[in-house]
Amino acid sequence: MKRLILAGVLALGGCGSASELKPASNQHLPVAPYSARATPTATQLLTPNSQARPERSDELLKKSDTRRGDEFDLPPHN
């Protein structure tokens, strides 16, 4: 069983390709978006923008305030 799993992992590891992505021979890249000056390349289409992958905010808590009481946090009625 372990040999089968190892063979599967090795087979899948060889599937990766390091060449540049290109559309199939009978296909074309999508048309340019409205008001764009040029059609984006495959690399530009695969690169996420800042809205799709926002940067992490590492702002630490600078001051600690105690929460004020909540007048609606009442015990349940019996």
Side-chain angles (χ1 to χ4, degrees):
M1 183 68 181
K2 289 182 183 181
R3 289 182 186 176
L4 181 63
I5 293 173
L6 180 61
V9 169
L10 290 175
L12 287 176
C15 291
S17 177
S19 63
E20 186 175 330
L21 294 174
K22 297 176 185 174
S25 61
N26 58 354
Q27 300 291 323
H28 300 286
L29 287 174
V31 296
Y34 182 73
S35 77
R37 298 185 193 275
T39 302
T41 63
T43 307
Q44 291 171 337
L45 290 171
L46 291 173
T47 305
N49 60 10
S50 60
Q51 187 175 8
R53 184 169 278 183
E55 293 183 14
R56 182 176 173 191
S57 174
D58 290 337
E59 185 176 332
L60 300 174
L61 183 65
K62 299 207 177 358
K63 66 177 188 175
S64 178
D65 293 334
T66 57
R67 296 175 94 182
R68 59 187 176 102
D70 183 9
E71 63 259 8
F72 297 105
D73 187 18
L74 302 173
H77 297 294
N78 289 343

